[in-house]
Amino acid sequence: MLLEIKDLRVKAEDKEILKGLDLTVNAGEVHAVMGPNGSGKSTLARVLAGSPGYEVTGGSITYDGKDLLELDPEVRACEGVFMAFQYPIEIAGINNTYFLRTALNSVRKHRGEPELDAVEFMQLVREKAALLEMDQAMLNRSVNEGFSGGEKKRNEIFQMAVLEPKLAILDETDSGLDIDALKIVANGVNSLRSPERSIIVVTHYQRLLNYIVPDFVHVLSGGRIVRSGGRELALELEEKGYGWIEAEMAGARG
Amino acid sequence: MSTSADTIEQLATREYQYGFETEVEAETFPPGLDEDVIRRLSAKKQEPEWMLEFRLKAYRAWLKMTEPTWHNLKIEPVDFQAISYYSAPKKRPELKSLDEVDPEVLRTFEKLGIPLEEQKLLAGVAVDAVFDSVSVATTFREKLAELGIIFCSMSDAIREHPDLVRRYLGSVVPYTDNFYAALNSAVFSDGSFVYVPKGVRCPMELSTYFRINARNTGQFERTLIVADEGATVSYLEGCTAPMRDENQLHAAVVELVALDGSTIKYSTIQNWYPGDSEGRGGIYNFVTKRGKAMANAKITWTQVETGSAITWKYPSCILQGDNSVGEFYSVAVTNNYQQADTGTKMIHLGKNTRSTIVSKGISAGHGQNTYRGAVTIGRNAQNARNYSQCDSMLIGNRCGAHTFPYLEIKNTSATVEHEASTSKIGEEQIFYCQQRGISTEDAVNMIVSGFCKEVFRELPMEFAVEAQKLLSISLEGSVG
Ligand SMILES: Nc1ncnc2c1ncn2[C@@H]1O[C@H](COP(=O)(O)OP(=O)(O)OP(=O)(O)O)[C@@H](O)[C@H]1O
Ligand SMILES: [Mg+2]
């Protein structure tokens, strides 16, 4: 088991967002998390990554045998947790490639591996850039600065491809991508699928799941996973929306 | 959950690295200033009569002036009678080589990371080290002399090159210019003098390290750089001072004279003691820097200001000759309780004159950072052009950034562009870096150096590296 979330409760600015969330992810699995706007999907992703601004008020997260909540965000990253941001931020004046090299070498240092020299690194970058059909110009621009919405998302997966995490959480990576880009990015993600690597895909659309086929689909609503199933659950959601699940839950409660 | 705030807290407690004091027997005047003190000072330095006259005239002008109050600074009143106006290391033989320098002095420079010995070998940097008020070591002089370049202390220049000094001293910053410049003109202790003859390109970066040492001794450096027609010179100034509890006054004057077709590049890293994390102590840095560019000449000021409790400084250019160019690139950092009021003046007098201003202000802690810039286009400055860019970055929410751009245009053919921005170093930016495995400290450094990139790339290579280091030291513990 790579990740085990138990009864997770999270608050932000006095508002309870996650209210007892359970989720278990084994190595090599792909899980899709769906759910209405504001249900807490990004909150889950960001809490896993160690974002400031959230208070964990209860529950536990075990990652790779460790108490994830005890680790600083950069340590989590070095230990193989990667989050593709729903809204990647711009950093002016810092070359995209330089940024990535700093990140990779920091991760390698943590793992006790030697730093890559410029030549080795550029080789890796070229290979991964080809995989995601990244434009050379984008590599030389400042981190995300002036990137279009879709370019930012593609850049996130490019970073993931270079950093090779153990657990990747992709927060709505598909939104903003055009049809062709969606295929390219999905291919990129699929090529990273491996028995050791787990992926959590947060999405609103079944279409992405045609390309990145999940092992499990979960519905997050009201701060909890209210339903889990196979990929057919995504199809059902596409057809019926979330109302019926919420109605069922209300029924169950009432 | 343990947050990065802990690490930041630890870093914040790290004290100013260059806080130490060297014990050198110093001969120091008792505190106080009057005409007699100036006469004694001038005599001590074996100055010619005209120099004494210059000082006395300046002193009399100063007596009638008052300290400027238009700046955006909170300044404890300075008691000018409590300052000692002369201090010299006692042992001061004529030195032929570094071996003859007081070993204690040399050790000081080593602690500062300025090994003269090494620098001689490295990079070809000539070092004129001003220890307290008197020069103690000058290297590379011979090599420069072959090209007719004069690089020496101001005291030596007054004795050995009186004609040059007399001709240009005060020609760009007259002693009537402002309160601090008048004071400096009256009591300046020492500084550097550079003269590059016609058509000569100075083959190395010239650099000087200043250091305030003896307690209560205000330092009043005076620097004069003259580039004759078609000459080129790049001058570096860097400084750091020992930890101190009382405020120390530092009022320097730097004059640049760029004759027809010449180029002067003046780069500064300023790292005077900024005071402790409570805002106690620290240097008052009131500097007047100005250059005059004749036809087709170019002056570039580049500064990285991280130190001092209070900085008051406006390196300026008088673009007198046609087609002359003035540039100002500045990074000013204020952390803890530091205050900076800095900027530039670009005075366009000649035709087709061009100026560029790039100012990056970074405020952290309770720091207050003010940019004050003036662009003046004179009546005859046909087709003058100015571009100004003024960016502020705030780290935390107790600091402040202020921008005061002034514009005076008397010629309608001018093109003037001004851009300004204020940004906050985002938690989200730092988190983004952390999420990719980069530590908070590295993330802040990276974001800040990205912000300052346009200025750093104007610095000579070896300085750029130092500047980046300094910036990260200055901002340690500023996020949390
Ligand atoms: N820092 C915060 N402070 C206050 N409220 C927050 C904060 N972060 C999230 N919220 C609130 O928590 C709820 C869940 O937000 P979250 O971003 O996790 O939703 P989401 O499921 O990702 O939605 P979407 O599908 O629109 O991306 C929302 O109501 C949001 O406004
Ligand atoms: Mg979201």
Side-chain angles (χ1 to χ4, degrees):
Chain A
M1 184 179 3
L2 184 66
L3 179 73
E4 186 177 38
I5 306 174
K6 275 192 186 157
D7 196 30
L8 183 67
R9 288 163 193 279
V10 173
K11 259 180 20 182
E13 284 167 22
D14 284 337
K15 179 187 158 154
E16 192 166 38
I17 304 171
L18 299 183
K19 304 167 183 170
L21 182 143
D22 297 293
L23 181 66
T24 300
V25 177
N26 290 305
E29 292 175 352
V30 173
H31 291 241
V33 174
M34 304 182 80
N37 291 133
S39 57
K41 303 180 298 297
S42 292
T43 302
L44 172 63
R46 295 181 65 101
V47 167
L48 286 171
S51 167
Y54 296 96
E55 189 195 343
V56 176
T57 55
S60 65
I61 306 178
T62 311
Y63 165 76
D64 210 10
K66 297 178 197 77
D67 180 355
L68 189 70
L69 296 173
E70 278 299 312
L71 306 179
D72 286 343
E74 63 267 33
V75 178
R76 298 183 195 193
C78 289
E79 292 277 335
V81 176
F82 178 94
M83 175 178 71
F85 285 68
Q86 184 174 1
Y87 305 107
I89 195 147
E90 305 186 352
I91 307 176
I94 295 299
N95 177 283
N96 211 12
T97 309
Y98 171 79
F99 173 80
L100 197 48
R101 187 170 165 207
T102 308
L104 181 65
N105 281 334
S106 172
V107 170
R108 289 180 66 93
K109 195 170 157 200
H110 182 85
R111 291 195 209 129
E113 295 165 5
E115 295 196 349
L116 288 189
D117 65 31
V119 176
E120 293 167 318
F121 178 74
M122 283 321 291
Q123 222 166 337
L124 178 68
V125 160
R126 259 195 295 276
E127 180 194 317
K128 302 298 184 182
L131 177 69
L132 286 150
E133 298 182 26
M134 289 271 291
D135 194 357
Q136 182 66 36
M138 249 163 78
L139 300 177
N140 294 331
R141 274 160 65 183
S142 295
V143 180
N144 292 323
E145 200 181 31
F147 287 20
S148 74
E151 285 168 346
K152 285 181 182 169
K153 297 303 179 72
R154 190 187 297 223
N155 193 38
E156 294 289 286
I157 302 306
F158 166 63
Q159 293 183 355
M160 170 184 164
V162 171
L163 295 172
E164 303 189 315
K166 261 194 252 176
L167 173 66
I169 307 139
L170 314 184
D171 192 359
E172 292 196 31
T173 298
D174 52 337
S175 63
L177 291 175
D178 68 40
I179 300 159
D180 295 334
L182 181 69
K183 284 186 200 163
I184 293 162
V185 167
N187 276 337
V189 173
N190 284 331
S191 73
L192 292 166
R193 283 181 84 153
S194 86
E196 297 84 46
R197 184 170 294 131
S198 308
I199 303 174
I200 298 174
V201 187
V202 174
T203 183
H204 285 295
Y205 305 106
Q206 135 70 21
R207 186 173 53 210
L208 176 69
L209 306 181
N210 287 336
Y211 298 109
I212 304 174
V213 180
D215 301 301
F216 301 94
V217 174
H218 309 277
V219 177
L220 176 50
S221 175
R224 248 177 291 217
I225 302 286
V226 294
R227 181 158 306 216
S228 298
R231 65 173 298 215
E232 67 292 342
L233 178 56
L235 290 166
E236 204 174 351
L237 291 170
E238 178 101 333
E239 200 181 312
K240 304 200 237 166
Y242 296 108
W244 60 281
I245 296 179
E246 281 163 355
E248 269 186 33
M249 285 182 54
R253 267 201 296 274
Chain B
M1 181 169 70
S2 107
T3 64
S4 51
D6 302 339
T7 345
I8 291 157
E9 205 53 48
Q10 284 167 13
L11 291 167
T13 53
R14 209 160 121 182
E15 293 284 322
Y16 183 69
Q17 284 199 332
Y18 300 137
F20 54 84
E21 207 176 320
T22 318
E23 280 176 42
V24 174
E25 276 183 86
E27 185 197 336
T28 304
F29 280 9
L33 183 59
D34 55 25
E35 289 202 6
D36 187 48
V37 166
I38 291 170
R39 281 177 213 284
R40 277 168 56 213
L41 168 72
S42 187
K44 242 236 115 85
K45 300 168 77 65
Q46 299 163 17
E47 289 177 350
E49 188 58 28
W50 60 265
M51 195 63 246
L52 175 62
E53 280 308 308
F54 179 94
R55 289 180 182 276
L56 289 172
K57 268 193 247 163
Y59 174 69
R60 287 166 200 147
W62 177 72
L63 285 177
K64 297 197 197 88
M65 296 168 124
T66 49
E67 289 168 79
T69 51
W70 43 261
H71 47 65
N72 196 25
L73 302 166
K74 286 197 197 78
I75 303 176
E76 289 284 311
V78 177
D79 180 357
F80 293 96
Q81 294 303 334
I83 294 170
S84 159
Y85 289 86
Y86 182 78
S87 162
K90 227 174 194 167
K91 281 182 257 168
R92 203 196 159 226
E94 291 289 307
L95 301 174
K96 287 185 195 67
S97 80
L98 281 175
D99 309 337
E100 296 175 38
V101 174
D102 185 339
E104 188 69 14
V105 172
L106 287 182
R107 262 197 296 280
T108 303
F109 285 119
E110 257 152 51
K111 271 196 235 172
L112 288 168
I114 318 158
L116 287 181
E117 297 290 332
E118 230 176 273
Q119 291 215 6
K120 274 210 298 198
L121 303 169
L122 289 170
V125 177
V127 176
D128 175 26
V130 175
F131 186 80
D132 234 11
S133 311
V134 181
S135 300
V136 288
T138 303
T139 51
F140 280 93
R141 226 187 257 186
E142 284 115 81
K143 191 168 174 194
L144 296 172
E146 276 170 33
L147 292 161
I149 297 171
I150 303 165
F151 176 38
C152 63
S153 72
M154 184 59 87
S155 310
D156 289 349
I158 291 167
R159 282 189 301 269
E160 291 159 28
H161 308 282
D163 295 346
L164 281 172
V165 176
R166 211 171 165 178
R167 180 151 168 210
Y168 293 111
L169 190 74
S171 70
V172 185
V173 180
Y175 59 76
T176 48
D177 191 80
N178 70 71
F179 183 83
Y180 302 112
L183 179 63
N184 176 287
S185 301
V187 302
F188 71 82
S189 38
D190 212 335
S192 294
F193 175 77
V194 177
Y195 172 78
V196 186
K198 268 185 199 168
V200 171
R201 171 177 287 267
C202 183
M204 61 185 84
E205 309 276 356
L206 301 179
S207 103
T208 307
Y209 288 90
F210 298 98
R211 183 168 162 75
I212 294 180
N213 200 277
R215 195 169 284 267
N216 269 337
T217 305
Q219 226 190 6
F220 303 92
E221 292 120 8
R222 186 87 192 193
T223 295
L224 173 60
I225 298 176
V226 181
D228 213 327
E229 291 171 18
T232 299
V233 62
S234 170
Y235 184 90
L236 317 179
E237 173 202 351
C239 46
T240 169
M243 182 173 287
R244 194 52 43 90
D245 227 341
E246 307 117 72
N247 289 303
Q248 281 190 308
L249 179 64
H250 179 78
V253 171
V254 176
E255 291 177 282
L256 309 183
V257 180
L259 298 179
D260 289 3
S262 66
T263 301
I264 301 178
K265 193 172 165 64
Y266 192 103
S267 312
T268 307
I269 290 185
Q270 187 268 117
N271 185 27
W272 298 113
Y273 178 53
D276 65 14
S277 54
E278 301 293 312
R280 280 184 304 249
I283 304 293
Y284 283 14
N285 192 27
F286 304 143
V287 186
T288 306
K289 286 183 166 171
R290 194 177 302 147
K292 196 192 308 189
M294 305 310 287
N296 303 305
K298 178 178 176 184
I299 290 175
T300 303
W301 296 102
T302 306
Q303 59 174 26
V304 176
E305 305 277 323
T306 60
S308 296
I310 300 176
T311 299
W312 179 96
K313 181 175 176 184
Y314 316 89
S316 304
C317 297
I318 302 170
L319 302 175
Q320 182 151 322
D322 293 349
N323 311 311
S324 57
V325 176
E327 294 177 335
F328 174 76
Y329 299 95
S330 169
V331 167
V333 179
T334 52
N335 197 359
N336 296 319
Y337 286 86
Q338 283 177 276
Q339 307 175 64
D341 194 307
T342 183
T344 185
K345 269 187 273 183
M346 291 292 175
I347 301 157
H348 293 253
L349 301 177
K351 296 186 182 64
N352 304 314
T353 44
R354 279 178 293 139
S355 63
T356 303
I357 299 171
V358 176
S359 160
K360 305 278 180 177
I362 301 163
S363 320
H366 293 89
Q368 293 295 328
N369 214 318
T370 299
Y371 167 80
R372 189 182 302 279
V375 175
T376 309
I377 312 278
R379 220 175 303 282
N380 301 319
Q382 203 63 19
N383 298 319
R385 274 183 291 157
N386 162 264
Y387 171 76
S388 304
Q389 184 192 330
C390 229
D391 300 319
S392 309
M393 179 176 267
L394 303 173
I395 303 178
N397 44 27
R398 292 164 305 180
C399 54
H402 318 272
T403 304
F404 301 103
Y406 303 96
L407 203 57
E408 194 188 336
I409 301 179
K410 293 189 188 138
N411 186 311
T412 50
S413 66
T415 316
V416 176
E417 265 180 272
H418 182 89
E419 287 176 23
S421 77
T422 300
S423 57
K424 237 181 136 166
I425 194 165
E427 236 183 18
E428 185 71 1
Q429 283 179 324
I430 293 173
F431 175 55
Y432 189 82
C433 295
Q434 287 177 306
Q435 212 308 299
R436 298 301 184 248
I438 299 166
S439 70
T440 312
E441 201 187 344
D442 289 348
V444 172
N445 288 343
M446 192 186 265
I447 294 164
V448 168
S449 68
F451 176 71
C452 299
K453 197 169 97 183
E454 289 141 291
V455 175
F456 284 167
R457 72 167 166 232
E458 292 299 325
L459 289 170
M461 261 304 278
E462 63 272 27
F463 243 34
V465 175
E466 221 175 287
Q468 208 130 347
K469 246 194 254 168
L470 198 57
L471 212 62
S472 50
I473 293 172
S474 309
L475 288 171
E476 267 174 11
S478 57
V479 184

